[in-house]
Amino acid sequence: MLNDLQLNNILEDFDIAYWKINLLTKEITWSDHFEALVGTPPAEESLFEHFINNVLHKDYRYDYRVAFENLTLGSENLNQEIRLKLKNDKFRWFECRNLKRKDSNNIETAVLLFVNIHQSKRDQYTIEENFFYYRETAEMTTTGGWYIDITTKSIYWDDVTKKILDCPKDFNPDYDKRLQFYASEHQEQANSIFEKCENYGIPFKTELKMVTLYGREFWVQATGKPVYNEEQQIIGIRGVLQNIDENKSNELNLQNSLDIIAAQNSRLFNFAHVVSHNLRSHSSNLSLVVQLLNEAKNSQDKIDLIENVEDISVNLDAAISRLNDMVSHQNLLKKERTLVSFKQSLDIVISSVSSLINRESAKIISEFKALKEISYIPEYLESILLNLITNAIRYKQPGRVPVIFIQTYSVNDQNFMEISDNGIGIDLDQYGDKMFGMYKTFHSNPDAKGIGLFITKNQVETMGGSISVTSTVNIGTTFKIKF
Amino acid sequence: MGQKMELACIIDDDKIYVNLVRKIIEIKKLSENLLIFKNGLEALDYFKIILTNMTEEKLPDIIFLDLNMPVMDGWEFLGEFIKIKNQFDKKITLYVVSSSIDPRDLERAKSFNLVTDYLIKPIELKKFEKIFDRVASVA
């Protein structure tokens, strides 16, 4: 057994403070080092009471007092982590435990060691705190971690990844089926980035569409980096994936809204331009008449000019009523979608233009078996049918009985309507881009007003669809509407 | 006022406007003759016939071209006319005349070398006289 001096030296050398307690007299002696740490105690107070009240943090007073009494009553163990106030008034973490007695000699003396564990305690807290923040961040941002071990061809997912992918906590991802968690159109891309990372160590950060265990598709941002061993060989890929479905769909919606607004803005611009042009052409004629009236030499000249004023007035009236038509078509926008039957809509249209159909003996054949009805604004569908049918009859091939074939169908959940005629057709190379513009007429037909197809395109697009045209001169024209 | 112009040409589908311009030309004695086409295609056909017959005296000194017309509008006419224009020896002055005040139309018209100016309807009588006067004195 070491004597006190030897023990003291060792304890001092290792920066350990201790108490020596005489179990018989309950007398406590502080080592020099302990006193150096917490300061010299006042002579008038008991050392233990001073320690409890002034040195020990109040949270540990009760437990420590109990443990200390047990020790003096012969208990084998005292082992506590406590906080002590040092001379500089700062609290530090210490581990306090008694020196085990190797033999039964000297049982009247106990030694309590105070080991400074502040740094390790703080590290432990930092780790716990970091882990807490990591968990919270992962939960809040739905960011999951994953690791692919290339050497064993196995995959590790953390709980958040499993949650993101609708997998139970005990789910074990199968390396060979890993691509099944990517949307079919993104599997190739996913495979390629993983292979590049595995073979060449190229990290990735990309947006992909994934599929949960239950087949729900959603957008993630996937980030991955290669993991090297000491020989600088790639042994795995580590990364995170974040559910950004909400952001992505917001982004897509925003883009969609932007497109709609841009399209509407351009239509409005076009409309304003047309309005300005149409009204100006009449007002400028009127102005010319006034100028000529001032120059007119005799009353006959003046009377001739007044006739022009009448013509201008009639034309202006017609222009304004055409503009009104257009505006009222736009106003239908406020109406709501309902389930509309193609057959019923067509019947309404046919009866409203029966005189034109009868005059030209036009034949209208319809084929609605594949797609009988659609969720649409009924007035729009009727207007679209009306415009395309009257167009087809108006631009018939002279001498040929106009035949109009109307067909509806759906491909991959996408609904279509095609309206074909055997009319004069149109040279699309020359006029294709202008077909749907306002006031574009391509034939010297006096009936042509040039707003029909503009309105049709407008209505189709307002409902979120698109319209395209194919045509062969002297053979006929087909309009295809994607709803 | 200087000498009178031989032949002026209007390409415009607005009958009232054409009538009024015709009156102005008559009253002010701005041109001996007047050619009128109601769209670009009719005018283009006429110029092509002149090319094949080599009868240059039937070429106008000045063309007033509208933009918005059915069948072939002013832009398409310009695109076609530019291809055949150099085959004529005669200098033809061309004005675009439109009621459009859209700056995009103005820019586009000015991008054609053969367009002397872009005139916005209505054109004042005095402006008409000035234009005819200038072209006639050059011719």
Side-chain angles (χ1 to χ4, degrees):
Chain A
M1 186 72 194
L2 296 167
N3 66 33
D4 271 6
L5 192 64
Q6 286 168 313
L7 185 67
N8 227 2
N9 285 342
I10 291 169
L11 293 173
E12 298 264 314
D13 282 354
F14 281 91
D15 193 17
I16 295 170
Y18 64 93
W19 291 4
K20 223 161 63 178
I21 305 138
N22 186 323
L23 293 175
L24 300 172
T25 62
K26 309 269 194 275
E27 193 194 346
I28 300 169
T29 323
W30 288 4
S31 72
D32 294 346
H33 188 67
F34 189 81
E35 198 170 311
L37 284 173
V38 304
T40 314
E44 65 272 19
E45 208 177 344
S46 113
L47 212 52
F48 186 73
E49 289 307 319
H50 170 73
F51 173 79
I52 289 288
N53 294 324
N54 300 310
V55 178
L56 186 66
H57 190 279
K58 61 177 169 36
D59 288 356
Y60 308 95
R61 280 175 195 163
Y62 179 81
D63 287 346
Y64 189 79
R65 192 188 285 278
V66 171
F68 186 79
E69 271 168 20
N70 286 341
L71 180 77
T72 57
L73 291 172
S75 161
E76 278 290 305
N77 285 317
L78 189 155
N79 193 344
Q80 286 195 339
E81 286 182 357
I82 52 174
R83 287 162 75 193
L84 302 183
K85 192 158 92 178
L86 303 191
K87 260 195 308 201
N88 59 10
D89 283 343
K90 282 182 181 157
F91 281 98
R92 287 285 181 271
W93 280 100
F94 285 85
E95 184 183 291
C96 174
R97 60 185 158 81
N98 60 328
L99 203 63
K100 297 276 166 26
R101 278 159 287 197
K102 289 274 175 356
D103 49 49
S104 47
N105 298 336
N106 214 7
I107 51 161
E108 71 272 19
T109 304
V111 174
L112 264 182
L113 302 174
F114 290 82
V115 183
N116 188 333
I117 55 163
H118 196 75
Q119 192 56 45
S120 66
K121 196 76 185 172
R122 209 166 62 172
D123 290 349
Q124 181 196 335
Y125 268 127
T126 311
I127 290 165
E128 274 172 14
E129 199 176 38
N130 284 351
F131 190 68
F132 170 79
Y133 284 130
Y134 150 71
R135 286 294 295 267
E136 284 293 299
T137 311
E139 288 280 343
M140 271 192 295
T141 59
T142 46
T143 305
W146 50 265
Y147 178 70
I148 299 177
D149 189 330
I150 293 166
T151 52
T152 62
K153 302 261 183 242
S154 52
I155 297 177
Y156 165 78
W157 286 351
D158 75 354
D159 288 348
V160 182
T161 298
K162 287 177 186 168
K163 199 171 152 189
I164 289 174
L165 290 166
D166 285 346
C167 295
K169 281 196 174 177
D170 57 359
F171 184 84
N172 280 322
D174 184 344
Y175 182 82
D176 294 324
K177 290 182 185 160
R178 64 197 190 283
L179 284 180
Q180 78 177 28
F181 287 97
Y182 295 91
S184 52
E185 69 265 33
H186 284 173
Q187 286 183 356
E188 204 176 310
Q189 191 192 347
N191 196 36
S192 144
I193 56 174
F194 279 113
E195 276 186 357
K196 266 192 271 180
C197 193
E198 181 178 333
N199 296 329
Y200 309 111
I202 299 167
F204 58 85
K205 181 177 183 177
T206 186
E207 287 176 6
L208 286 167
K209 221 191 211 173
M210 291 190 80
V211 189
T212 69
L213 196 61
Y214 300 121
R216 182 174 53 84
E217 290 195 351
F218 66 107
W219 282 92
V220 295
Q221 182 172 70
T223 313
K225 284 175 184 164
V227 177
Y228 293 91
N229 64 7
E230 281 174 6
E231 281 82 44
Q232 294 306 310
Q233 292 159 326
I234 297 167
I235 51 161
I237 306 171
R238 183 162 38 219
V240 293
L241 52 91
Q242 184 183 5
N243 184 346
I244 54 161
D245 203 47
E246 207 177 324
N247 302 355
K248 193 71 188 178
S249 52
N250 282 347
E251 184 190 317
L252 293 176
N253 282 342
L254 196 63
Q255 188 55 48
N256 203 14
S257 305
L258 267 179
D259 291 346
I260 290 171
I261 290 167
Q264 283 184 344
N265 200 23
S266 122
R267 283 203 289 268
L268 271 179
F269 202 79
N270 196 1
F271 183 72
H273 174 65
V274 166
V275 170
S276 147
H277 176 269
N278 282 25
L279 298 182
R280 282 185 58 87
S281 62
H282 303 294
S283 75
S284 73
N285 281 344
L286 206 53
S287 146
L288 276 183
V289 171
V290 173
Q291 293 183 54
L292 279 167
L293 272 173
N294 286 334
E295 301 274 328
K297 301 263 170 7
N298 54 53
S299 52
Q300 186 54 49
D301 281 356
K302 287 189 182 174
I303 289 165
D304 289 351
L305 285 165
I306 296 296
E307 278 173 19
N308 279 310
V309 176
E310 279 178 34
D311 290 342
I312 292 167
S313 145
V314 169
N315 288 350
L316 185 58
D317 217 41
I320 288 173
S321 87
R322 277 206 299 274
L323 292 175
N324 274 341
D325 274 359
M326 232 181 293
V327 173
S328 58
H329 272 291
Q330 300 276 353
N331 283 346
L332 277 174
L333 218 147
K334 288 165 199 137
K335 299 225 170 170
E336 283 184 11
R337 287 174 188 256
T338 51
L339 214 52
V340 194
S341 143
F342 284 106
K343 170 97 173 53
Q344 277 176 19
S345 292
L346 182 63
D347 287 346
I348 292 169
V349 171
I350 288 178
S351 69
S352 75
V353 289
S354 56
S355 61
L356 177 70
I357 294 171
N358 290 337
R359 193 178 74 211
E360 304 289 348
S361 334
K363 273 174 79 177
I364 297 176
I365 304 151
S366 60
E367 181 63 72
F368 299 138
K369 274 186 205 137
L371 179 66
K372 293 193 174 91
E373 49 193 13
I374 188 171
S375 166
Y376 221 66
I377 296 175
E379 288 85 351
Y380 272 21
L381 188 61
E382 286 160 24
S383 162
I384 291 165
L385 284 166
L386 179 75
N387 268 328
L388 294 178
I389 289 170
T390 50
N391 248 357
I393 297 175
R394 199 175 281 149
Y395 302 116
K396 63 166 194 165
Q397 177 79 18
R400 199 186 287 167
V401 172
V403 177
I404 301 158
F405 185 78
I406 307 170
Q407 189 181 14
T408 55
Y409 57 92
S410 66
V411 179
N412 297 333
D413 286 344
Q414 180 63 60
N415 298 327
F416 294 93
M417 174 166 74
E418 282 185 24
I419 298 182
S420 311
D421 65 51
N422 60 346
I424 54 176
I426 188 162
D427 183 353
L428 289 173
D429 289 340
Q430 200 177 348
Y431 300 113
D433 54 333
K434 294 185 184 147
M435 277 248 20
F436 299 101
M438 223 185 273
Y439 292 105
K440 300 293 179 198
T441 49
F442 307 102
H443 312 274
S444 331
N445 189 325
D447 290 349
K449 291 199 198 92
I451 60 170
L453 286 180
F454 171 79
I455 287 173
T456 299
K457 181 177 161 71
N458 226 316
Q459 289 168 334
V460 172
E461 287 179 354
T462 304
M463 301 299 291
S466 60
I467 183 167
S468 60
V469 58
T470 50
S471 186
T472 312
V473 174
N474 296 332
I475 300 293
T477 305
T478 296
F479 286 96
K480 183 173 178 178
I481 292 167
K482 182 177 165 192
F483 288 108
Chain B
M1 212 172 84
Q3 68 244 76
K4 202 168 173 181
M5 192 184 287
E6 284 292 321
L7 184 59
C9 170
I10 300 175
I11 308 172
D12 203 310
D13 64 324
D14 182 347
K15 285 182 197 140
I16 296 172
Y17 164 81
V18 171
N19 250 331
L20 293 169
V21 174
R22 193 210 313 266
K23 276 212 168 71
I24 294 169
I25 291 173
E26 278 169 14
I27 291 168
K28 298 283 176 183
K29 299 186 174 57
L30 296 174
S31 173
E32 293 281 353
N33 293 296
L34 185 60
L35 273 174
I36 295 166
F37 304 104
K38 66 174 186 285
N39 63 56
L41 191 63
E42 285 188 6
L44 192 70
D45 286 346
Y46 174 84
F47 287 114
K48 283 181 174 165
I49 287 166
I50 288 186
L51 260 186
T52 46
N53 295 346
M54 299 300 284
T55 47
E56 296 234 330
E57 71 271 15
K58 295 269 177 68
L59 278 176
D61 303 283
I62 188 165
I63 297 173
F64 293 101
L65 174 68
D66 184 25
L67 289 178
N68 281 281
M69 289 179 288
V71 186
M72 181 188 272
D73 66 19
W75 301 120
E76 289 164 308
F77 174 80
L78 281 172
E80 294 297 320
F81 189 64
I82 220 165
K83 295 180 198 159
I84 58 169
K85 192 196 169 233
N86 288 336
Q87 298 175 42
F88 301 123
D89 284 332
K90 188 170 180 175
K91 177 176 165 49
I92 302 172
T93 308
L94 190 148
Y95 283 89
V96 166
V97 185
S98 172
S99 40
S100 163
I101 50 169
D102 190 335
R104 292 175 302 184
D105 285 343
L106 200 106
E107 278 303 306
R108 191 170 163 199
K110 293 205 164 158
S111 72
F112 286 90
N113 265 335
L114 67 121
V115 174
T116 303
D117 204 356
Y118 183 102
L119 305 174
I120 293 170
K121 290 178 184 175
I123 310 171
E124 283 178 28
L125 260 59
K126 285 202 178 70
K127 177 87 176 165
F128 259 119
E129 286 182 67
K130 225 182 253 176
I131 290 168
F132 275 88
D133 217 22
R134 195 185 306 146
V135 173
S137 61
V138 170

